Amino acid sequence: MNIDHIEAFLYVVHYKSIHKAANALFLSQPTVTARIKSLERELNVELFHRDGRSVILSDKGKDFLPFATQIVQTFQQGKKQLEETQETDEVCIGTNGVTAQYFLAYALPKWKESYPHLRFQIVTGSTNIILEKLQSHQIHFGLIQYVHREGIGNELLLSNAVKLVMHREHSFQQNTLIKVRELAQQKMVFFECGAFDWNYVHKLFEVEGVTANIEVRTDHLEVAKEFIRTKEYMSFLPHLCVKKELESGEFVEIDVKHLLDMNQHIFLTYNNKDTLAPAFWEKVIETAEQFESGYEKID
């Protein structure tokens, strides 16, 4: 029994017209008529009485109607269930620009090694925007700061503390814990963008009644890093974006933990883990651990 034939029967019953049913189904009238006749031959009954352009449901048609309705409803429910549970070949991730540029650029190639069939879409935006997309099922998961919302899960994934960094050949020599007034004398490039509350940095100087020597402001992390490479500037930057340079020794961290402890944890945020294979979620966690440890995990 063809499900399309049964669906055509239900549309004709609803509209009481083959012509109107055909329009609703985006089919030609002869096609709908043919489907009804095929169903009648298969059931060996007459489902409708024809009266010119009108069709009237027969007694046998009335008997068949509840069964036809149940068949189509069950089919649609089964189809929807399969669509929701089948593994997707595209994973949509929502995050801020820093995490996308520095963590996902590292992680995605590793995910592709384990899941070569997967394709990825990265959506960047604020935490609120990503949360909205998560709740409306536009993305599979977010890499954002912690959110407290009913039905939303959060798992700590990465630490992204703010670091004060300079080039290894910068003239500044830190022999003791740096003081705010001493720091205020250094040339700085200031990055003012992203999820961090940079007011904490400004307050650091305001409390001491001094003004930071900010010669350059930028909303681009790589621009800030290029100024550091001139060996004349310092900058407060998220750890994710300078991790590679700190590990290689190109940049060095100036200890300011006694002055400022500014951390922004990044959480793996989701509302339904069943949308992706359990092994993939494990791979995401494993990759984050490798990224933070600074070495390749050996199996």
Side-chain angles (χ1 to χ4, degrees), residues 145-161:
Q145 61 184 304
Y146 179 86
V147 291
H148 181 68
R149 193 68 60 88
E150 184 177 355
I152 297 296
N154 296 273
E155 294 181 26
L156 180 60
L157 193 71
L158 297 166
S159 176
N160 194 22

mmCIF file of all heavy atoms in Angstrom, residues 145-161:
data_model
loop_
_atom_site.group_PDB
_atom_site.id
_atom_site.type_symbol
_atom_site.label_atom_id
_atom_site.label_comp_id
_atom_site.label_asym_id
_atom_site.label_seq_id
_atom_site.Cartn_x
_atom_site.Cartn_y
_atom_site.Cartn_z
ATOM 1 N N GLN A 145 30.836 31.078 27.801
ATOM 2 C CA GLN A 145 30.920 31.148 29.245
ATOM 3 C C GLN A 145 29.709 30.458 29.867
ATOM 4 O O GLN A 145 28.709 30.194 29.184
ATOM 5 C CB GLN A 145 30.992 32.604 29.706
ATOM 6 C CG GLN A 145 29.798 33.457 29.330
ATOM 7 C CD GLN A 145 29.980 34.902 29.742
ATOM 8 O OE1 GLN A 145 30.208 35.199 30.908
ATOM 9 N NE2 GLN A 145 29.912 35.808 28.790
ATOM 10 N N TYR A 146 29.798 30.178 31.165
ATOM 11 C CA TYR A 146 28.745 29.435 31.860
ATOM 12 C C TYR A 146 27.413 30.181 31.777
ATOM 13 O O TYR A 146 27.353 31.399 31.982
ATOM 14 C CB TYR A 146 29.134 29.217 33.317
ATOM 15 C CG TYR A 146 28.084 28.468 34.104
ATOM 16 C CD1 TYR A 146 28.067 27.076 34.107
ATOM 17 C CD2 TYR A 146 27.117 29.155 34.835
ATOM 18 C CE1 TYR A 146 27.102 26.381 34.823
ATOM 19 C CE2 TYR A 146 26.148 28.463 35.546
ATOM 20 C CZ TYR A 146 26.143 27.081 35.540
ATOM 21 O OH TYR A 146 25.192 26.391 36.238
ATOM 22 N N VAL A 147 26.360 29.429 31.484
ATOM 23 C CA VAL A 147 25.011 30.010 31.486
ATOM 24 C C VAL A 147 24.118 29.145 32.362
ATOM 25 O O VAL A 147 24.166 27.917 32.306
ATOM 26 C CB VAL A 147 24.417 30.108 30.060
ATOM 27 C CG1 VAL A 147 25.160 31.139 29.242
ATOM 28 C CG2 VAL A 147 24.417 28.751 29.350
ATOM 29 N N HIS A 148 23.326 29.784 33.189
ATOM 30 C CA HIS A 148 22.372 29.075 34.041
ATOM 31 C C HIS A 148 20.987 29.212 33.414
ATOM 32 O O HIS A 148 20.360 30.252 33.474
ATOM 33 C CB HIS A 148 22.364 29.669 35.454
ATOM 34 C CG HIS A 148 21.413 28.957 36.382
ATOM 35 N ND1 HIS A 148 21.613 27.669 36.813
ATOM 36 C CD2 HIS A 148 20.238 29.375 36.940
ATOM 37 C CE1 HIS A 148 20.614 27.310 37.603
ATOM 38 N NE2 HIS A 148 19.765 28.324 37.688
ATOM 39 N N ARG A 149 20.556 28.145 32.769
ATOM 40 C CA ARG A 149 19.275 28.164 32.087
ATOM 41 C C ARG A 149 18.690 26.753 32.147
ATOM 42 O O ARG A 149 19.405 25.766 31.924
ATOM 43 C CB ARG A 149 19.462 28.604 30.621
ATOM 44 C CG ARG A 149 18.185 28.949 29.903
ATOM 45 C CD ARG A 149 17.541 30.207 30.442
ATOM 46 N NE ARG A 149 18.401 31.371 30.328
ATOM 47 C CZ ARG A 149 18.458 32.163 29.261
ATOM 48 N NH1 ARG A 149 17.719 31.881 28.204
ATOM 49 N NH2 ARG A 149 19.245 33.224 29.270
ATOM 50 N N GLU A 150 17.418 26.649 32.433
ATOM 51 C CA GLU A 150 16.769 25.348 32.538
ATOM 52 C C GLU A 150 16.885 24.582 31.221
ATOM 53 O O GLU A 150 16.639 25.120 30.143
ATOM 54 C CB GLU A 150 15.292 25.530 32.890
ATOM 55 C CG GLU A 150 14.556 24.221 33.122
ATOM 56 C CD GLU A 150 13.113 24.428 33.537
ATOM 57 O OE1 GLU A 150 12.706 25.608 33.731
ATOM 58 O OE2 GLU A 150 12.389 23.424 33.649
ATOM 59 N N GLY A 151 17.301 23.334 31.330
ATOM 60 C CA GLY A 151 17.440 22.489 30.153
ATOM 61 C C GLY A 151 18.774 22.597 29.453
ATOM 62 O O GLY A 151 19.026 21.880 28.478
ATOM 63 N N ILE A 152 19.643 23.489 29.917
ATOM 64 C CA ILE A 152 20.955 23.692 29.285
ATOM 65 C C ILE A 152 22.040 23.065 30.149
ATOM 66 O O ILE A 152 22.117 23.314 31.358
ATOM 67 C CB ILE A 152 21.249 25.197 29.085
ATOM 68 C CG1 ILE A 152 20.229 25.809 28.132
ATOM 69 C CG2 ILE A 152 22.670 25.401 28.563
ATOM 70 C CD1 ILE A 152 20.275 25.263 26.718
ATOM 71 N N GLY A 153 22.885 22.239 29.537
ATOM 72 C CA GLY A 153 24.004 21.616 30.241
ATOM 73 C C GLY A 153 25.300 22.357 29.988
ATOM 74 O O GLY A 153 25.511 22.905 28.903
ATOM 75 N N ASN A 154 26.171 22.395 31.014
ATOM 76 C CA ASN A 154 27.477 23.051 30.907
ATOM 77 C C ASN A 154 28.562 22.115 31.426
ATOM 78 O O ASN A 154 28.432 21.571 32.521
ATOM 79 C CB ASN A 154 27.519 24.340 31.736
ATOM 80 C CG ASN A 154 26.548 25.394 31.259
ATOM 81 O OD1 ASN A 154 26.858 26.181 30.388
ATOM 82 N ND2 ASN A 154 25.345 25.414 31.851
ATOM 83 N N GLU A 155 29.618 21.933 30.658
ATOM 84 C CA GLU A 155 30.771 21.165 31.106
ATOM 85 C C GLU A 155 32.027 22.015 30.882
ATOM 86 O O GLU A 155 32.259 22.507 29.775
ATOM 87 C CB GLU A 155 30.896 19.848 30.333
ATOM 88 C CG GLU A 155 29.748 18.878 30.592
ATOM 89 C CD GLU A 155 29.912 17.576 29.823
ATOM 90 O OE1 GLU A 155 31.072 17.221 29.509
ATOM 91 O OE2 GLU A 155 28.884 16.928 29.532
ATOM 92 N N LEU A 156 32.810 22.215 31.938
ATOM 93 C CA LEU A 156 34.023 23.022 31.836
ATOM 94 C C LEU A 156 34.964 22.424 30.790
ATOM 95 O O LEU A 156 35.281 21.237 30.833
ATOM 96 C CB LEU A 156 34.723 23.094 33.191
ATOM 97 C CG LEU A 156 36.018 23.919 33.241
ATOM 98 C CD1 LEU A 156 35.741 25.368 32.860
ATOM 99 C CD2 LEU A 156 36.641 23.836 34.627
ATOM 100 N N LEU A 157 35.400 23.250 29.854
ATOM 101 C CA LEU A 157 36.227 22.755 28.760
ATOM 102 C C LEU A 157 37.611 23.392 28.751
ATOM 103 O O LEU A 157 38.621 22.686 28.672
ATOM 104 C CB LEU A 157 35.527 23.037 27.423
ATOM 105 C CG LEU A 157 36.106 22.307 26.214
ATOM 106 C CD1 LEU A 157 35.775 20.825 26.305
ATOM 107 C CD2 LEU A 157 35.549 22.878 24.904
ATOM 108 N N LEU A 158 37.686 24.722 28.824
ATOM 109 C CA LEU A 158 38.961 25.420 28.704
ATOM 110 C C LEU A 158 39.044 26.560 29.703
ATOM 111 O O LEU A 158 38.028 27.137 30.093
ATOM 112 C CB LEU A 158 39.124 26.005 27.285
ATOM 113 C CG LEU A 158 39.174 25.032 26.114
ATOM 114 C CD1 LEU A 158 38.999 25.792 24.811
ATOM 115 C CD2 LEU A 158 40.484 24.258 26.105
ATOM 116 N N SER A 159 40.273 26.891 30.082
ATOM 117 C CA SER A 159 40.518 28.073 30.896
ATOM 118 C C SER A 159 41.134 29.135 29.997
ATOM 119 O O SER A 159 42.026 28.847 29.206
ATOM 120 C CB SER A 159 41.473 27.745 32.047
ATOM 121 O OG SER A 159 41.784 28.912 32.770
ATOM 122 N N ASN A 160 40.652 30.369 30.127
ATOM 123 C CA ASN A 160 41.123 31.437 29.232
ATOM 124 C C ASN A 160 41.461 32.694 30.039
ATOM 125 O O ASN A 160 40.877 33.753 29.847
ATOM 126 C CB ASN A 160 40.063 31.748 28.171
ATOM 127 C CG ASN A 160 40.625 32.576 27.030
ATOM 128 O OD1 ASN A 160 41.831 32.604 26.793
ATOM 129 N ND2 ASN A 160 39.759 33.262 26.315
ATOM 130 N N ALA A 161 42.410 32.553 30.943
ATOM 131 C CA ALA A 161 42.807 33.675 31.790
ATOM 132 C C ALA A 161 43.454 34.780 30.960
ATOM 133 O O ALA A 161 44.076 34.520 29.928
ATOM 134 C CB ALA A 161 43.778 33.197 32.857
#
